[in-house]
Structure formats: C-alpha cells, structure tokens
Amino acid sequence: MTNAIEISGLTKRFGPILAVDHVSFSVTQGEVLGFLGPNGAGKSTSMKMITGFLRPDAGRSQICGHDMDSDPLAAKRKIGYLPEGAPAYGDMTPASYLKFIADARGLTGAKRAQGLEDAIARSHLEHVLYQPIETLSKGFKRRVGLAQAILHNPPVLVLDEPTDGLDPNQKHEVRQMIRDMAAEKCIIISTHILEEVNAICSRALIIAKGKIVADGTPHDLETRSPYHNAVTVVTAPQALEDMVALLKALPDVATLDIEDQPDSHGCVKVTAFPQEDRMIINQISAALQGCELPVREMTVERGRLEDVFRQVTLSDAHNAA
Amino acid sequence: MLTPLWTICRRELASYFATPVALVFIVVFLALSAALTFFVGNFFVRGQADLQSFFMWHPWLYLFLIPAMTMRLWAEEHKTGTIEMLLTLPMPLPAIVLGKFLAAWLFTGLALALTFPIWIAVNVLGRPDNGVIIASYFGSFLMAGAFLSIGACLSAVTKNQVIAFVLTACLCFLFTVSGSPVILAFFSGWAPEGLLSLVAGLSFLEHFQAIMRGVVDVRDGFYFLSVITLFLFMNTVIVEWRKA
Ligand SMILES: Nc1ncnc2c1ncn2[C@@H]1O[C@H](COP(=O)(O)OP(=O)(O)OP(=O)(O)O)[C@@H](O)[C@H]1O
Ligand SMILES: [Mg+2]
C-alpha cells in the first residue's frame, strides 16, 4: 500500500530565512501525526507545502500516490485542510460557506447533503448556521474551518492548530472527533498543547528551525526524557539526610535531585535518576522496607513530553548559534 | 472547468450583494451617469435624439468606479488568508481567475442594464438610431471588461486594497487617454512612427468612440477582448507566481 502522505526533501526559503529545511517523512492511514515545534519552527509552512498552497523550493509531496506538483487537482481532492487561523469569507454565513466548499469540491446530490449534515453536526454549528461568519466568536470560526475540512470525508486531514481558541468542552469534542476518524484516515495536526499529543497522536514529530529533531510515538519520546523511570520519594524534612544517603548507596541510582524546601504540606522531595536503561523502583522500595524512614509518597516518573520538547528544541538552537 | 468557474462566480456575485458594495456601486453609477448626461452633457439643449451625451461619460465613470470594485478581488483574499482556502480547493486556477472576473463583469453589466430608463426616455422624446445605442451599450460593456481585467490583475499584486486601487486607476487612466493629443505630443518628435501609432491604438477612448459613432468594426471589439485576455492571463501568472 502506498503511504497516504509521502514527503521528501521539502525545503522552503523566505529571503534569508530557511523556514523548512529538507523535511522528509511519511504517514500511513490510521496514524495521527502530531506536528510540534516552537513558534516559527516551520510547521505552518510545511503544511502549506503539503497541501499545495506554497510551492516548495525543493522536494516533493505526494498525497495518496498523487504528486502535488504534477497532478495537483487529484492530490487536493484527497485532502481536507484547516489553515492556520481558520480563514473564511466573513460576509458569508456558515451555511452558505459550507455549501460553497461542497460545490467547489464537486460534491453533488446525496453525497453533498450527507457531507453537509455530518460536518455541521460534528462541528456543532446548528445554532449559528445563518449568522455571518465575521460576527462569530473565535471558537465558532475555528469550528467552521473544521467543518469545511471534513466536509468531503477526505482520506487525509491536515489541521493547523485545530483546537486553538476552543473552550475545554470543545477541545475535548474535537479530540474525540479526531480519535473517531483516526482509523480510516491519515491525520496531521500541529499543536502547542503537549497533553493533546498524548491524548490523540499515535506519533509525534518535533521540528525546530525547519529541521526534524525528533520523531516517534509519544511514549518513545517520553523515554528520552531524563525523568523517564526516575523515582520521586516524598519524605519528612528531618529524614531527608538519611534518605539521600540511602538512595546514593544504591548501585543503579545515577544522580539525585533534592528539593529541600518544604512544600505546603511540610514535605521534601528527592528524585533519583537511574543508570541508563535501569529500573530502580524495586531496589528503592526494597531498601526502604528495611529501614524506618518515613515515606509519604513514592512515584515512578514517566518522563514528560515537555522536557523532551525543551531538550531537543533548545539544544538545537544552541548548536545552530 | 465550467463548474468551478460558475461556483466561484456565484460566490463572488453573492458577496457583492451581501455587502453594501452592490448598492453603492449601482446607486452611484446610475446617479452620476444621469447627472452628467442631463446637467453637464446638455442632453436636452443638444436637442438630438441620441445617447452620445450619456455614453461619453462612461470611460470617466469607470475610471474611478471600477478600480474601487476590483481592488478587493484578490487583495482581500491575501489579507484575510482565504486565498489559502481558495488555492487548496481542487479547482484549476484559470477557472478561479475567470470566475472572479466574470462575476465582476456580470455585475457591471447589471448596473449598465439598469440605465435602461434613459433609453426609454430618448425613444419617447424622439426617434433615435437604436442600432447605434445597442452598439454603444455593447461597447461600453466591453470597455468595462477591459477596465475590470486590469483591476483584477493589479489586485493580485498586493494585499493592500488602497495600493490596488491607485495602481488600477493609474493604469486605466493611461489606457484611456493614450490617444489624446497631450500623450501623443509627448511621444512625437523622438519616438518612431510605429510606436506612436501603437500608443494611439491602445486608447480605450478611441475604440469606444468609434463604437459610439455607430461605426461597428470587429477590430474595436477584438481590441477590448484582447486586453481582457492579456490581463487575465497576467492575473493567473501573478497568482501562480506568488505561491512560490
Ligand atoms: N510569507 C512569508 N514571508 C516571509 N517569511 C515567512 C513567511 N511565512 C513564514 N515565514 C517565516 O518562516 C518561518 C516559519 O514560519 P511558520 O509559520 O511555518 O512557523 P510555525 O512553526 O507555524 O510557527 P507557529 O507555532 O508560531 O505557528 C518563520 O520564521 C516565519 O517568519
Ligand atoms: Mg503555525
């Protein structure tokens, strides 16, 4: 089977700025790819090239086997696209706008009616259908953009910050919608909300300064965090010194991170980082069994995407500087 | 190609009527053309049953009304980002360019058609040569198309509507007056004869006046159609070029 999205060597330069620098990846049906990166990393620019709005300086993008350069219409038919900021004609109403998009996409008859009905229902636009788009709130405008993207039930969805500006209920709703569609589609979303990546993405791709700096499942990326499999022990301040001594003595513990300022409950925290690829929770709990030290809480850290994000995007900036 | 063209055209037409653009354009066009005909053009004083004093103002009315109408055509799409939607829809670019142009042209045609009371009036008052009047309407419509194509093309150059307006008005002015003695005097003396007649031949005014006199020559119609084709082609090239 051909990949739904196949990107190779995509490059875009704006004057002196190299916005996207030889980006290659492919995405298959069933995958939800989270596109992450700091502001100005080149996420939107990449998406504009994938969807055929911008012509790349080099490289190619293929959608379901159709080359965007040599067969743009066939490729564009396969894509639903929500551009950054969800632009739409302000003087139209959601109803007339969606009908226009349906016509522009060549939908007719029952397919058109069904597509409109589904898109409107999924984006909860029923109550604003006849209100000019320019008078809608930011969240509703975004929903109009989403409705427009899924109208023709495309196999490929490219969504640039789909949940930006939505209230928590709507965020949840949109994530649910993406999850529902995930199996039968290939979806790329860009986002700055890392918890969203954990919630819906089967794969995350971090780019910085136009280059891919990390690519893997959210879980893979978390394992790159120094906090992955670290163990945090919460204890009383008077036991801190003994606790530190005990943890230091364990063979698989590499380093310790000590927070000796008592928190609001009057407790202090010690985080033990394992030697490479070791699990230290067993050792620690065994060692703690044999002594009288007070333990309020003990947790194994999974490693946070946020730490990995900062690590890969900042270290890249240092390298470049 | 035809279906997308019509889809775009319908949307554009709807947007003229959803905004005050339609109302303002039609009211100002009708009011000004009537005022100019009766008060400045001496329609009654001339005592002739024709619409010369009506049609002679059309190039000058178009000169500022049409740039105002076309300035938003592409500039606004770039400004609001809707261009990104438009160009990622599965429609050939020439269909989009033509659809936008056609909507503007049909709309201008509507404004022109709404001047029909003046035609009725002149028929009530006398016995005009209706063949000449029909030819003049046709010529005016063609000339409007030429103005519109220049406006559409220049609107694609910028995302700033004011710049689009000023550029269009300037270029349309040059096209209108390029046959006038002032312009020709500027060229004569140093420019070769061929260039001189080329510049003179570009004049909207000359071609339109020829049609207005009732001298129906295919070449005048062909001239306006060539201008439209040329500028719409450049319009397509500019939109395509701005994607890079
Ligand atoms: N039309 C343009 N002209 C000049 N530079 C541009 C243009 N579009 C984008 N850029 C530059 O390209 C770089 C990448 O921009 P892009 O919009 O792709 O970033 P992004 O990853 O989407 O950021 P954000 O998270 O803020 O949306 C930025 O440095 C931006 O200034
Ligand atoms: Mg962006």
Side-chain angles (χ1 to χ4, degrees):
Chain A
M1 204 192 91
T2 54
N3 286 319
I5 302 182
E6 182 93 49
I7 306 299
S8 55
L10 225 47
T11 302
K12 186 78 199 176
R13 183 181 277 284
F14 293 112
I17 306 167
L18 193 53
V20 177
D21 186 5
H22 291 92
V23 165
S24 306
F25 60 87
S26 50
V27 194
T28 54
Q29 186 193 329
E31 267 189 302
V32 179
L33 178 75
F35 216 39
L36 314 177
N39 291 131
K43 301 180 293 296
S44 299
T45 307
S46 303
M47 287 179 151
K48 285 174 191 177
M49 289 191 284
I50 294 169
T51 53
F53 173 64
L54 279 180
R55 189 172 314 103
D57 294 338
R60 49 201 281 148
S61 107
Q62 277 182 311
I63 312 295
C64 300
H66 303 288
D67 193 279
M68 190 49 89
D69 194 44
S70 59
D71 193 1
L73 293 190
K76 284 173 184 173
R77 261 181 218 115
K78 301 284 182 194
I79 305 182
Y81 177 35
L82 172 70
E84 186 168 39
Y89 296 110
D91 55 51
M92 300 180 95
T93 62
S96 61
Y97 181 62
L98 293 177
K99 280 180 191 152
F100 161 67
I101 298 287
D103 292 339
R105 293 209 169 266
L107 299 184
T108 50
K111 235 180 165 173
R112 181 174 185 270
Q114 188 64 44
L116 284 168
E117 192 183 317
D118 281 355
I120 289 167
R122 281 198 144 153
S123 332
H124 300 279
L125 288 172
E126 297 88 350
H127 299 296
V128 296
L129 272 183
Y130 301 102
Q131 190 182 334
I133 293 177
E134 63 197 352
T135 66
L136 294 180
S137 71
K138 182 172 160 189
F140 273 102
K141 277 184 193 150
R142 182 82 29 160
R143 292 193 225 171
V144 172
L146 274 169
Q148 158 281 128
I150 57 174
L151 192 60
H152 54 302
N153 196 17
V156 173
L157 272 179
V158 178
L159 309 175
D160 202 346
E161 305 195 17
T163 57
D164 182 42
L166 298 183
D167 66 49
N169 297 338
Q170 269 300 311
K171 274 196 179 114
H172 179 80
E173 197 82 41
V174 168
R175 287 174 197 165
Q176 192 57 47
M177 181 172 110
I178 292 175
R179 246 183 255 122
D180 290 345
M181 296 187 297
E184 58 185 49
K185 292 192 197 307
C186 157
I187 303 175
I188 303 187
I189 67 165
S190 80
T191 179
H192 289 297
I193 308 169
L194 295 174
E195 71 210 57
E196 195 157 283
V197 178
N198 272 317
I200 52 176
C201 297
S202 59
R203 181 174 158 202
L205 205 140
I206 304 181
I207 80 171
K209 304 218 156 160
K211 283 200 179 71
I212 296 180
V213 290
D215 180 1
T217 64
H219 178 74
D220 280 346
L221 294 187
E222 281 170 357
T223 63
R224 294 210 202 170
S225 161
Y227 280 91
H228 183 62
N229 286 341
V231 174
T232 299
V233 182
V234 177
T235 184
Q238 62 273 19
L240 182 63
E241 225 167 284
D242 295 337
M243 183 66 77
V244 168
L246 178 134
L247 291 174
K248 254 191 186 149
L250 295 173
D252 285 348
V253 172
T255 51
L256 293 181
D257 187 19
I258 303 158
E259 261 179 57
D260 50 10
Q261 289 302 314
D263 64 13
S264 53
H265 302 289
C267 296
V268 291
K269 251 182 4 186
V270 186
T271 304
F273 295 94
Q275 305 275 11
E276 211 161 330
D277 296 330
R278 296 295 169 88
M279 288 293 288
I280 50 175
I281 179 71
N282 289 339
Q283 279 185 8
I284 292 176
S285 54
L288 287 174
Q289 299 273 303
C291 66
E292 298 289 290
L293 291 175
V295 175
R296 295 277 165 81
E297 208 179 284
M298 185 160 74
T299 43
V300 182
E301 306 277 350
R302 290 177 57 202
R304 285 172 310 169
L305 217 43
E306 205 180 306
D307 298 321
V308 183
F309 181 88
R310 204 169 298 127
Q311 189 187 328
V312 295
T313 55
L314 289 180
S315 70
D316 184 75
H318 288 313
N319 291 345
Chain B
M1 175 85 184
L2 277 181
T3 320
L5 193 160
W6 180 230
T7 303
I8 294 290
C9 186
R10 267 203 332 255
R11 196 210 76 76
E12 287 282 327
L13 276 176
S15 108
Y16 289 130
F17 289 97
T19 55
V21 170
L23 189 70
V24 171
F25 185 88
I26 290 182
V27 168
V28 171
F29 181 73
L30 294 184
L32 275 183
S33 60
L36 290 170
T37 306
F38 295 122
F39 300 121
V40 190
N42 294 330
F43 176 76
F44 294 112
V45 179
R46 284 175 71 231
Q48 286 185 11
D50 64 27
L51 286 181
Q52 287 266 355
S53 54
F54 167 65
F55 284 113
M56 65 183 274
W57 297 108
H58 283 197
W60 310 106
L61 282 175
Y62 290 157
L63 193 54
F64 72 96
L65 281 178
I66 286 194
M69 185 158 125
T70 55
M71 66 183 190
R72 48 160 285 282
L73 219 54
W74 292 93
E76 194 178 37
E77 302 253 11
H78 273 109
K79 188 85 183 176
T80 59
T82 46
I83 186 86
E84 205 166 327
M85 279 307 315
L86 194 61
L87 297 187
T88 51
L89 288 169
M91 295 187 287
L93 183 55
I96 301 177
V97 170
L98 266 179
K100 274 178 171 284
F101 168 76
L102 204 62
W105 207 14
L106 286 177
F107 181 75
T108 320
L110 174 71
L112 202 54
L114 287 177
T115 61
F116 71 92
I118 206 163
W119 185 22
I120 295 177
V122 79
N123 270 288
V124 169
L125 295 174
R127 316 187 98 259
D129 182 343
N130 280 321
V132 172
I133 293 181
I134 289 174
S136 303
Y137 265 114
F138 200 62
S140 178
F141 184 58
L142 280 174
M143 183 171 59
F147 275 94
L148 286 169
S149 67
I150 294 177
C153 177
L154 291 177
S155 169
V157 172
T158 170
K159 66 170 78 170
N160 186 319
Q161 300 196 20
V162 176
I163 294 178
F165 177 91
V166 173
L167 289 180
T168 307
C170 286
L171 193 61
C172 286
F173 180 71
L174 286 181
F175 263 96
T176 307
V177 301
S178 67
S180 76
V182 184
I183 299 282
L184 292 182
F186 172 76
F187 280 99
S188 70
W190 60 271
E193 196 61 26
L195 183 67
L196 205 64
S197 59
L198 182 78
V199 171
L202 282 181
S203 170
F204 283 0
L205 221 46
E206 297 288 318
H207 289 278
F208 180 56
Q209 277 165 355
I211 298 175
M212 248 171 73
R213 280 193 298 269
V215 191
V216 178
D217 187 336
V218 187
R219 276 176 302 179
D220 293 317
F222 184 74
Y223 165 74
F224 285 123
L225 290 178
S226 322
V227 172
I228 293 173
T229 312
L230 175 72
F231 277 95
L232 290 186
F233 175 73
M234 290 202 293
N235 185 345
T236 314
V237 171
I238 289 169
V239 174
E240 188 67 37
W241 167 75
R242 287 191 74 180
K243 283 171 73 175

